[in-house]
Amino acid sequence: VGKSGIEQAMESELRGKDGTKTISVQNGTVVSSEVTVPVQAGHTVMLTVDSTFQKDLQNILGNFIKNFDKLRDAKTEGEGLGKVTSGALVVLDTTDNSVLGLATYPTYNLNDYTKDYDKLASDETSPLLDRATVGLYRPGSTFKTITATAGLNEGIVAGSSTYFCGHSYEYKGHTYYCTGSHGNISVVQALQYSCNIYFYQLSEALTIDNLTKYAELYGLGSPTGIETGDAAGRFANPETYAEYGWEWTVGHVLQAAIGQSETAVTPLQMAVAFGTIANKGVRYQPHLVDSLWDYNLTEKIKDIEPTVAETIPIQHDDVYTYIQQGMIAASVTNMPDKYSLADLGYDVAIKTGTPQAGGGRVQDSFFIGYAPADNPKIAFACVVEGAEYSKYMIRDVLKAYERMETRQKTNMEKNTTSNP
């Protein structure tokens, strides 16, 4: 019996059906016995996950976290961040949001799960928590892509229009700050340099109602529909604050626009959101099941077809053109040569964030993206709790995907040769 995860979700397909044997007894002696209803073997469930790629993602995430102190020492920054122990990394196929890999750290050995479950359950790093699907985090500046979608699609800004960033911004008697002083800045530049003040001013024009509308169109605040279940999260707005008994003030709209306040998302949700950007407004439901086969894997019974969960009604054709331009520019900004994305042979669209975090952490490190930018094949999202520089993993993720493509192509060619 499937107790959890995909085995529980697919129990009805995996389990099969009991048969019936009819036995006739006369004067205490069995006179006949026959199977009147044959046993039906359970089906085999083929997953979308590539096992080698999954291991690669787990290693990329684990190595970054385990070696973060060395990275921090090399940059002589981040001294107040504390010990980094946890994170998650998600990669989806943009054609249908099928899951190629879901990595979470720390993880555990299945033998330990069987032999010493109590120890795992009491571990303060929560290795049993699947941070990819149920871990909730502020998205930080990665959310600016959603705010940009709203502004461009509602016609509040255009590709050529600008807001002025002079490092500080006065709103309703309070002063808010940016990390730089960018002058007159367009949406492309605002995404490239992650200008807070551009998005503060845009959010003031949008209002919280429009921000909520687009957050929901991208799927935030609702489960994604993945077979194994996931956390719904929430978007920071007056309704959410009222639900939790918090006090909403007008200044929260500015923080919501840059992924702060009390917005909470899963890495899976943000990978889905970036898959939606890659598909120019079409959001697919993520899924782990590729197909159903008979028990012996000799006959395919059913392919799992893509499910469109939402289509954002695009009112201006160039909405995603400007967003993509900003994210391509961001991929080569402040990226050391060792981790550069400039020499891959294709453009990569990314957005990073360092949202303020609770739970004793100063901040988290978030990145989302898709590649190749002009012909997207994968969308990805990652968060590392209490860290920075998580974007340094992107090159390794893309290289691991290239290896997977090569491996799958080689296997296909071998199968074609052996089965002409």
Side-chain angles (χ1 to χ4, degrees), residues 327-329 331 341 344 346-350 369-373 380 394 398:
M327 294 186 303
I328 291 173
S331 73
L341 305 177
L344 294 170
Y346 52 85
D347 289 329
V348 183
I350 71 166
Y370 60 84
F380 46 83
I394 297 175
L398 294 175

Side-chain angles (χ1 to χ4, degrees), residues 39 63 110 167 232 287 331 341 381:
V39 170
N63 288 337
L110 281 174
H167 184 59
H287 60 101
S331 73
L341 305 177

Side-chain angles (χ1 to χ4, degrees), residues 149-324:
T149 305
L152 289 164
N153 202 42
E154 295 296 323
I156 292 172
V157 293
S160 59
S161 60
T162 61
Y163 285 122
F164 179 77
C165 169
H167 184 59
S168 63
Y169 180 62
E170 298 292 328
Y171 180 70
K172 305 293 184 181
H174 294 274
T175 304
Y176 299 86
Y177 295 94
C178 188
T179 55
S181 183
H182 300 111
N184 289 312
I185 190 169
S186 69
V187 66
V188 172
Q189 296 168 315
L191 288 169
Q192 178 182 3
Y193 297 110
S194 204
C195 175
N196 286 345
I197 288 177
Y198 179 95
F199 291 100
Y200 289 156
Q201 294 178 78
L202 178 53
S203 69
E204 187 178 355
L206 278 167
T207 75
I208 194 62
D209 289 341
N210 268 321
L211 285 173
T212 298
K213 170 185 171 182
Y214 281 87
E216 291 175 350
L217 286 170
Y218 274 101
L220 305 189
S222 301
T224 65
I226 194 169
E227 296 94 335
T228 49
D230 60 342
R234 60 180 181 263
F235 178 65
N237 58 23
E239 291 74 23
T240 295
Y241 270 58
E243 179 183 347
Y244 285 86
W246 302 329
E247 181 183 0
W248 175 266
T249 60
V250 291
H252 282 296
V253 66
L254 273 63
Q255 296 304 310
I258 63 168
Q260 291 289 158
S261 190
E262 292 302 329
T263 295
V265 300
T266 68
L268 175 61
Q269 283 178 319
M270 293 309 290
V272 169
F274 244 48
T276 305
I277 294 175
N279 286 304
K280 295 180 170 51
V282 179
R283 172 162 60 90
Y284 290 101
Q285 179 176 305
H287 60 101
L288 284 159
V289 178
D290 173 79
S291 53
L292 301 178
W293 293 68
D294 68 351
Y295 185 79
N296 296 314
L297 271 177
T298 57
E299 180 184 356
K300 184 186 288 189
I301 298 168
K302 179 182 179 182
D303 279 316
I304 302 303
E305 298 297 329
T307 299
V308 175
E310 186 67 72
T311 299
I312 298 174
I314 299 303
Q315 302 176 52
H316 301 276
D317 293 340
D318 54 7
V319 168
Y320 287 110
T321 300
Y322 294 120
I323 293 174
Q324 180 168 290

Side-chain angles (χ1 to χ4, degrees), residues 326-343:
M327 294 186 303
I328 291 173
S331 73
V332 294
T333 302
N334 297 324
M335 190 73 83
D337 290 343
K338 183 178 180 181
Y339 311 105
S340 175
L341 305 177
D343 62 347

